[in-house]
Amino acid sequence: MQVFIERTQQRQELEFSGVAKDLLQELHIGTEEVLIIRNGTLVTEDETLETTDEIRLLSVISGG
Amino acid sequence: MKFAYFLLLVVVKMQCELCEQKAISTNPALCPEHFDTFFLNTVKKTIEEYDLCSVKTKICVAVSGGKDSLALLDVLTRLGYAVEGLFIHEGIAHYREASEADLDEFCEKNTIKVRKVSFEEEAGFTLDTAMETKKFHSCTLCGTLRRYLLNKYAKDYDVIATGHNLDDEAQTVLINLARGNTSLFLRQGVSTEASEHFVRKIKPFSFLSEKHILTYVVLRRIRVDFAECPYARQSYRAHLRDILNTVEQEHPGTKKNIITTYLDLKEHLSRAKSSETPIQTCTRCGQASGEKVCKACQLIAKVHEVLE
């Protein structure tokens, strides 16, 4: 699974399949901090993700 | 039977509360179409309940090019309000340029007029230059000058609309409580009073979270930069924000409860404490001031003193 974290501009390759909430927990990111884009589509933290997915985590926190 | 129930729960969790489409948001769980309606209706309700503006009101939107201000321009335009933008460039390198470009693109596409002013033109220094002296608190200096410039350049408008959202407002309630800022605590609200000296400020996003706003921006395909102000990252507010987000994740509705309880309480408290600082005219710049020389002029003078 390819994960791109907008806030840190970090790209990671992970072995993960399961609920998006659990992915966020593994990455130490709170559900209030990001929107999850799965293969170009906005999904919620209840979404079940596959190992072949491309995930973008958009930062909710921006500005000053 | 337990497995079937579990499967049903999973399906129901991902479904829109109002139809059978897949939800793209939580709290509330809504599909794209119903989320858009929810978002617009929440803004409409806030405007009506707090009498923020009408379609005849000349609205100056304080814009940065970030998600909150672009979403605000977009929503107010869609709801039929007359808006123009006021952009203030603080002079923070590698931060403001990207959002300014997004603002320019949005306003050109939607034919929205924007006026631009900067700390450098108005005060003679950028925020970066002032901060290099290590003598000033970034948010105090930036906040004071931004509010001063907003008021100075929005005089031809009936109201200034800002993109302050539920997260901002809940954080501010807690910050003022935690820091013992009673008078600031009492002054917070969905809008300020109209006065001779200060343009009334309104916050149509007071009951929409940052996450709601980003969802709106993504669904509307509005291009925004995700940069966080480099000075804000280690601030008191950022610390409190992280704590509040952790609590909200476990206890959804916390942020909304903070702000609605505050607004209820404010009505009671403002009757009990009503000392107002008389407003005078700053002897240096002629703008409204609580003292002989306004806070902005005092800060600008201090920065120049340190820079020399």
PDB file of all heavy atoms in Angstrom, chain B residues 87-112:
ATOM      1  N   PHE B  87      -6.957  40.587   1.331  1.00  0.00           N
ATOM      2  CA  PHE B  87      -5.844  39.669   1.582  1.00  0.00           C
ATOM      3  C   PHE B  87      -4.716  40.434   2.255  1.00  0.00           C
ATOM      4  O   PHE B  87      -4.332  41.508   1.808  1.00  0.00           O
ATOM      5  CB  PHE B  87      -5.373  39.092   0.238  1.00  0.00           C
ATOM      6  CG  PHE B  87      -4.114  38.276   0.307  1.00  0.00           C
ATOM      7  CD1 PHE B  87      -4.145  36.943   0.681  1.00  0.00           C
ATOM      8  CD2 PHE B  87      -2.887  38.838  -0.023  1.00  0.00           C
ATOM      9  CE1 PHE B  87      -2.984  36.175   0.734  1.00  0.00           C
ATOM     10  CE2 PHE B  87      -1.721  38.085   0.022  1.00  0.00           C
ATOM     11  CZ  PHE B  87      -1.777  36.746   0.398  1.00  0.00           C
ATOM     12  N   ILE B  88      -4.201  39.862   3.348  1.00  0.00           N
ATOM     13  CA  ILE B  88      -3.094  40.510   4.058  1.00  0.00           C
ATOM     14  C   ILE B  88      -1.877  39.597   3.994  1.00  0.00           C
ATOM     15  O   ILE B  88      -1.916  38.454   4.458  1.00  0.00           O
ATOM     16  CB  ILE B  88      -3.481  40.797   5.525  1.00  0.00           C
ATOM     17  CG1 ILE B  88      -4.636  41.792   5.543  1.00  0.00           C
ATOM     18  CG2 ILE B  88      -2.290  41.363   6.284  1.00  0.00           C
ATOM     19  CD1 ILE B  88      -5.260  41.958   6.907  1.00  0.00           C
ATOM     20  N   HIS B  89      -0.806  40.118   3.423  1.00  0.00           N
ATOM     21  CA  HIS B  89       0.435  39.343   3.293  1.00  0.00           C
ATOM     22  C   HIS B  89       1.330  39.695   4.477  1.00  0.00           C
ATOM     23  O   HIS B  89       1.806  40.826   4.584  1.00  0.00           O
ATOM     24  CB  HIS B  89       1.118  39.699   1.963  1.00  0.00           C
ATOM     25  CG  HIS B  89       2.114  38.680   1.523  1.00  0.00           C
ATOM     26  ND1 HIS B  89       3.095  38.172   2.352  1.00  0.00           N
ATOM     27  CD2 HIS B  89       2.284  38.062   0.335  1.00  0.00           C
ATOM     28  CE1 HIS B  89       3.815  37.296   1.693  1.00  0.00           C
ATOM     29  NE2 HIS B  89       3.343  37.204   0.472  1.00  0.00           N
ATOM     30  N   GLU B  90       1.539  38.729   5.379  1.00  0.00           N
ATOM     31  CA  GLU B  90       2.330  39.004   6.584  1.00  0.00           C
ATOM     32  C   GLU B  90       3.836  39.018   6.297  1.00  0.00           C
ATOM     33  O   GLU B  90       4.615  39.556   7.068  1.00  0.00           O
ATOM     34  CB  GLU B  90       2.078  37.928   7.659  1.00  0.00           C
ATOM     35  CG  GLU B  90       0.627  37.602   7.915  1.00  0.00           C
ATOM     36  CD  GLU B  90       0.150  36.459   7.043  1.00  0.00           C
ATOM     37  OE1 GLU B  90       0.754  36.196   5.985  1.00  0.00           O
ATOM     38  OE2 GLU B  90      -0.855  35.827   7.411  1.00  0.00           O
ATOM     39  N   GLY B  91       4.213  38.384   5.182  1.00  0.00           N
ATOM     40  CA  GLY B  91       5.643  38.275   4.888  1.00  0.00           C
ATOM     41  C   GLY B  91       6.246  37.097   5.632  1.00  0.00           C
ATOM     42  O   GLY B  91       7.199  37.241   6.389  1.00  0.00           O
ATOM     43  N   ILE B  92       5.645  35.924   5.437  1.00  0.00           N
ATOM     44  CA  ILE B  92       6.208  34.682   5.990  1.00  0.00           C
ATOM     45  C   ILE B  92       6.675  33.873   4.777  1.00  0.00           C
ATOM     46  O   ILE B  92       5.874  33.406   3.971  1.00  0.00           O
ATOM     47  CB  ILE B  92       5.148  33.878   6.777  1.00  0.00           C
ATOM     48  CG1 ILE B  92       4.565  34.725   7.897  1.00  0.00           C
ATOM     49  CG2 ILE B  92       5.763  32.599   7.328  1.00  0.00           C
ATOM     50  CD1 ILE B  92       3.401  34.079   8.635  1.00  0.00           C
ATOM     51  N   ALA B  93       7.994  33.749   4.674  1.00  0.00           N
ATOM     52  CA  ALA B  93       8.583  33.113   3.484  1.00  0.00           C
ATOM     53  C   ALA B  93       8.152  31.654   3.373  1.00  0.00           C
ATOM     54  O   ALA B  93       7.988  30.965   4.384  1.00  0.00           O
ATOM     55  CB  ALA B  93      10.102  33.214   3.554  1.00  0.00           C
ATOM     56  N   HIS B  94       7.954  31.210   2.147  1.00  0.00           N
ATOM     57  CA  HIS B  94       7.628  29.809   1.822  1.00  0.00           C
ATOM     58  C   HIS B  94       6.292  29.359   2.411  1.00  0.00           C
ATOM     59  O   HIS B  94       6.058  28.180   2.562  1.00  0.00           O
ATOM     60  CB  HIS B  94       8.740  28.846   2.302  1.00  0.00           C
ATOM     61  CG  HIS B  94      10.106  29.322   1.952  1.00  0.00           C
ATOM     62  ND1 HIS B  94      10.517  29.534   0.659  1.00  0.00           N
ATOM     63  CD2 HIS B  94      11.151  29.677   2.742  1.00  0.00           C
ATOM     64  CE1 HIS B  94      11.754  29.989   0.671  1.00  0.00           C
ATOM     65  NE2 HIS B  94      12.162  30.088   1.918  1.00  0.00           N
ATOM     66  N   TYR B  95       5.454  30.309   2.757  1.00  0.00           N
ATOM     67  CA  TYR B  95       4.155  29.927   3.330  1.00  0.00           C
ATOM     68  C   TYR B  95       3.020  30.637   2.601  1.00  0.00           C
ATOM     69  O   TYR B  95       2.117  30.002   2.076  1.00  0.00           O
ATOM     70  CB  TYR B  95       4.146  30.259   4.837  1.00  0.00           C
ATOM     71  CG  TYR B  95       2.788  30.194   5.495  1.00  0.00           C
ATOM     72  CD1 TYR B  95       2.073  28.994   5.536  1.00  0.00           C
ATOM     73  CD2 TYR B  95       2.218  31.319   6.085  1.00  0.00           C
ATOM     74  CE1 TYR B  95       0.814  28.927   6.131  1.00  0.00           C
ATOM     75  CE2 TYR B  95       0.970  31.254   6.682  1.00  0.00           C
ATOM     76  CZ  TYR B  95       0.273  30.067   6.706  1.00  0.00           C
ATOM     77  OH  TYR B  95      -0.960  29.994   7.292  1.00  0.00           O
ATOM     78  N   ARG B  96       3.096  31.944   2.550  1.00  0.00           N
ATOM     79  CA  ARG B  96       1.972  32.729   2.031  1.00  0.00           C
ATOM     80  C   ARG B  96       1.899  32.684   0.499  1.00  0.00           C
ATOM     81  O   ARG B  96       0.813  32.842  -0.076  1.00  0.00           O
ATOM     82  CB  ARG B  96       2.106  34.178   2.524  1.00  0.00           C
ATOM     83  CG  ARG B  96       0.873  35.039   2.480  1.00  0.00           C
ATOM     84  CD  ARG B  96      -0.380  34.332   2.876  1.00  0.00           C
ATOM     85  NE  ARG B  96      -0.678  34.401   4.288  1.00  0.00           N
ATOM     86  CZ  ARG B  96      -1.462  33.512   4.919  1.00  0.00           C
ATOM     87  NH1 ARG B  96      -1.969  32.492   4.260  1.00  0.00           N
ATOM     88  NH2 ARG B  96      -1.712  33.636   6.209  1.00  0.00           N
ATOM     89  N   GLU B  97       3.006  32.467  -0.178  1.00  0.00           N
ATOM     90  CA  GLU B  97       3.028  32.531  -1.653  1.00  0.00           C
ATOM     91  C   GLU B  97       2.089  31.496  -2.281  1.00  0.00           C
ATOM     92  O   GLU B  97       1.354  31.800  -3.214  1.00  0.00           O
ATOM     93  CB  GLU B  97       4.457  32.292  -2.193  1.00  0.00           C
ATOM     94  CG  GLU B  97       5.432  33.422  -1.925  1.00  0.00           C
ATOM     95  CD  GLU B  97       6.041  33.360  -0.528  1.00  0.00           C
ATOM     96  OE1 GLU B  97       5.842  32.353   0.190  1.00  0.00           O
ATOM     97  OE2 GLU B  97       6.718  34.339  -0.163  1.00  0.00           O
ATOM     98  N   ALA B  98       2.112  30.269  -1.763  1.00  0.00           N
ATOM     99  CA  ALA B  98       1.304  29.194  -2.350  1.00  0.00           C
ATOM    100  C   ALA B  98      -0.180  29.491  -2.185  1.00  0.00           C
ATOM    101  O   ALA B  98      -0.974  29.338  -3.117  1.00  0.00           O
ATOM    102  CB  ALA B  98       1.657  27.856  -1.709  1.00  0.00           C
ATOM    103  N   SER B  99      -0.570  29.949  -0.981  1.00  0.00           N
ATOM    104  CA  SER B  99      -1.994  30.212  -0.753  1.00  0.00           C
ATOM    105  C   SER B  99      -2.446  31.441  -1.535  1.00  0.00           C
ATOM    106  O   SER B  99      -3.596  31.505  -1.982  1.00  0.00           O
ATOM    107  CB  SER B  99      -2.311  30.344   0.737  1.00  0.00           C
ATOM    108  OG  SER B  99      -1.630  31.430   1.314  1.00  0.00           O
ATOM    109  N   GLU B 100      -1.543  32.408  -1.736  1.00  0.00           N
ATOM    110  CA  GLU B 100      -1.893  33.583  -2.537  1.00  0.00           C
ATOM    111  C   GLU B 100      -2.186  33.168  -3.984  1.00  0.00           C
ATOM    112  O   GLU B 100      -3.135  33.657  -4.602  1.00  0.00           O
ATOM    113  CB  GLU B 100      -0.767  34.621  -2.502  1.00  0.00           C
ATOM    114  CG  GLU B 100      -1.168  35.931  -3.168  1.00  0.00           C
ATOM    115  CD  GLU B 100      -0.090  37.000  -3.102  1.00  0.00           C
ATOM    116  OE1 GLU B 100       1.017  36.729  -2.567  1.00  0.00           O
ATOM    117  OE2 GLU B 100      -0.353  38.115  -3.592  1.00  0.00           O
ATOM    118  N   ALA B 101      -1.396  32.245  -4.500  1.00  0.00           N
ATOM    119  CA  ALA B 101      -1.607  31.750  -5.872  1.00  0.00           C
ATOM    120  C   ALA B 101      -2.974  31.042  -5.979  1.00  0.00           C
ATOM    121  O   ALA B 101      -3.702  31.214  -6.947  1.00  0.00           O
ATOM    122  CB  ALA B 101      -0.483  30.801  -6.270  1.00  0.00           C
ATOM    123  N   ASP B 102      -3.315  30.264  -4.954  1.00  0.00           N
ATOM    124  CA  ASP B 102      -4.622  29.569  -4.946  1.00  0.00           C
ATOM    125  C   ASP B 102      -5.758  30.586  -4.897  1.00  0.00           C
ATOM    126  O   ASP B 102      -6.794  30.423  -5.545  1.00  0.00           O
ATOM    127  CB  ASP B 102      -4.722  28.625  -3.740  1.00  0.00           C
ATOM    128  CG  ASP B 102      -3.751  27.458  -3.830  1.00  0.00           C
ATOM    129  OD1 ASP B 102      -3.368  27.083  -4.960  1.00  0.00           O
ATOM    130  OD2 ASP B 102      -3.363  26.925  -2.768  1.00  0.00           O
ATOM    131  N   LEU B 103      -5.565  31.635  -4.107  1.00  0.00           N
ATOM    132  CA  LEU B 103      -6.567  32.695  -3.991  1.00  0.00           C
ATOM    133  C   LEU B 103      -6.773  33.379  -5.346  1.00  0.00           C
ATOM    134  O   LEU B 103      -7.905  33.585  -5.782  1.00  0.00           O
ATOM    135  CB  LEU B 103      -6.114  33.716  -2.949  1.00  0.00           C
ATOM    136  CG  LEU B 103      -6.966  34.982  -2.818  1.00  0.00           C
ATOM    137  CD1 LEU B 103      -8.325  34.638  -2.218  1.00  0.00           C
ATOM    138  CD2 LEU B 103      -6.256  36.026  -1.957  1.00  0.00           C
ATOM    139  N   ASP B 104      -5.668  33.712  -5.995  1.00  0.00           N
ATOM    140  CA  ASP B 104      -5.744  34.398  -7.292  1.00  0.00           C
ATOM    141  C   ASP B 104      -6.500  33.548  -8.311  1.00  0.00           C
ATOM    142  O   ASP B 104      -7.359  34.037  -9.043  1.00  0.00           O
ATOM    143  CB  ASP B 104      -4.333  34.709  -7.819  1.00  0.00           C
ATOM    144  CG  ASP B 104      -3.650  35.806  -7.021  1.00  0.00           C
ATOM    145  OD1 ASP B 104      -4.354  36.544  -6.308  1.00  0.00           O
ATOM    146  OD2 ASP B 104      -2.410  35.908  -7.091  1.00  0.00           O
ATOM    147  N   GLU B 105      -6.173  32.266  -8.325  1.00  0.00           N
ATOM    148  CA  GLU B 105      -6.829  31.358  -9.280  1.00  0.00           C
ATOM    149  C   GLU B 105      -8.329  31.281  -9.001  1.00  0.00           C
ATOM    150  O   GLU B 105      -9.150  31.370  -9.912  1.00  0.00           O
ATOM    151  CB  GLU B 105      -6.208  29.958  -9.145  1.00  0.00           C
ATOM    152  CG  GLU B 105      -6.849  28.924 -10.066  1.00  0.00           C
ATOM    153  CD  GLU B 105      -6.318  27.512  -9.807  1.00  0.00           C
ATOM    154  OE1 GLU B 105      -5.090  27.316  -9.891  1.00  0.00           O
ATOM    155  OE2 GLU B 105      -7.138  26.616  -9.519  1.00  0.00           O
ATOM    156  N   PHE B 106      -8.700  31.143  -7.715  1.00  0.00           N
ATOM    157  CA  PHE B 106     -10.115  31.015  -7.333  1.00  0.00           C
ATOM    158  C   PHE B 106     -10.885  32.275  -7.689  1.00  0.00           C
ATOM    159  O   PHE B 106     -11.983  32.230  -8.250  1.00  0.00           O
ATOM    160  CB  PHE B 106     -10.227  30.721  -5.831  1.00  0.00           C
ATOM    161  CG  PHE B 106     -11.640  30.556  -5.372  1.00  0.00           C
ATOM    162  CD1 PHE B 106     -12.266  29.320  -5.437  1.00  0.00           C
ATOM    163  CD2 PHE B 106     -12.364  31.644  -4.889  1.00  0.00           C
ATOM    164  CE1 PHE B 106     -13.589  29.165  -5.031  1.00  0.00           C
ATOM    165  CE2 PHE B 106     -13.677  31.491  -4.482  1.00  0.00           C
ATOM    166  CZ  PHE B 106     -14.295  30.256  -4.557  1.00  0.00           C
ATOM    167  N   CYS B 107     -10.306  33.433  -7.346  1.00  0.00           N
ATOM    168  CA  CYS B 107     -11.023  34.693  -7.550  1.00  0.00           C
ATOM    169  C   CYS B 107     -11.153  35.044  -9.031  1.00  0.00           C
ATOM    170  O   CYS B 107     -12.178  35.592  -9.454  1.00  0.00           O
ATOM    171  CB  CYS B 107     -10.333  35.817  -6.784  1.00  0.00           C
ATOM    172  SG  CYS B 107     -10.560  35.628  -5.004  1.00  0.00           S
ATOM    173  N   GLU B 108     -10.155  34.684  -9.814  1.00  0.00           N
ATOM    174  CA  GLU B 108     -10.239  34.932 -11.252  1.00  0.00           C
ATOM    175  C   GLU B 108     -11.336  34.063 -11.863  1.00  0.00           C
ATOM    176  O   GLU B 108     -12.176  34.520 -12.626  1.00  0.00           O
ATOM    177  CB  GLU B 108      -8.900  34.599 -11.909  1.00  0.00           C
ATOM    178  CG  GLU B 108      -8.815  35.120 -13.333  1.00  0.00           C
ATOM    179  CD  GLU B 108      -7.466  34.832 -13.951  1.00  0.00           C
ATOM    180  OE1 GLU B 108      -6.441  35.070 -13.296  1.00  0.00           O
ATOM    181  OE2 GLU B 108      -7.467  34.348 -15.096  1.00  0.00           O
ATOM    182  N   LYS B 109     -11.364  32.803 -11.447  1.00  0.00           N
ATOM    183  CA  LYS B 109     -12.359  31.857 -11.973  1.00  0.00           C
ATOM    184  C   LYS B 109     -13.780  32.282 -11.598  1.00  0.00           C
ATOM    185  O   LYS B 109     -14.718  32.089 -12.362  1.00  0.00           O
ATOM    186  CB  LYS B 109     -12.049  30.479 -11.374  1.00  0.00           C
ATOM    187  CG  LYS B 109     -12.838  29.324 -11.942  1.00  0.00           C
ATOM    188  CD  LYS B 109     -12.322  28.016 -11.341  1.00  0.00           C
ATOM    189  CE  LYS B 109     -13.335  26.909 -11.583  1.00  0.00           C
ATOM    190  NZ  LYS B 109     -13.030  25.696 -10.829  1.00  0.00           N
ATOM    191  N   ASN B 110     -13.930  32.879 -10.395  1.00  0.00           N
ATOM    192  CA  ASN B 110     -15.262  33.222  -9.894  1.00  0.00           C
ATOM    193  C   ASN B 110     -15.564  34.720  -9.947  1.00  0.00           C
ATOM    194  O   ASN B 110     -16.562  35.166  -9.396  1.00  0.00           O
ATOM    195  CB  ASN B 110     -15.395  32.712  -8.442  1.00  0.00           C
ATOM    196  CG  ASN B 110     -15.384  31.201  -8.389  1.00  0.00           C
ATOM    197  OD1 ASN B 110     -16.380  30.541  -8.656  1.00  0.00           O
ATOM    198  ND2 ASN B 110     -14.230  30.636  -8.057  1.00  0.00           N
ATOM    199  N   THR B 111     -14.688  35.443 -10.618  1.00  0.00           N
ATOM    200  CA  THR B 111     -14.825  36.905 -10.780  1.00  0.00           C
ATOM    201  C   THR B 111     -15.121  37.595  -9.445  1.00  0.00           C
ATOM    202  O   THR B 111     -16.132  38.270  -9.258  1.00  0.00           O
ATOM    203  CB  THR B 111     -15.970  37.236 -11.787  1.00  0.00           C
ATOM    204  OG1 THR B 111     -16.032  36.256 -12.799  1.00  0.00           O
ATOM    205  CG2 THR B 111     -15.724  38.600 -12.435  1.00  0.00           C
ATOM    206  N   ILE B 112     -14.204  37.411  -8.514  1.00  0.00           N
ATOM    207  CA  ILE B 112     -14.328  38.043  -7.192  1.00  0.00           C
ATOM    208  C   ILE B 112     -13.171  39.020  -7.031  1.00  0.00           C
ATOM    209  O   ILE B 112     -12.004  38.680  -7.232  1.00  0.00           O
ATOM    210  CB  ILE B 112     -14.285  36.989  -6.063  1.00  0.00           C
ATOM    211  CG1 ILE B 112     -15.505  36.062  -6.183  1.00  0.00           C
ATOM    212  CG2 ILE B 112     -14.257  37.660  -4.688  1.00  0.00           C
ATOM    213  CD1 ILE B 112     -15.487  34.891  -5.215  1.00  0.00           C
TER     214      ILE B 112
END
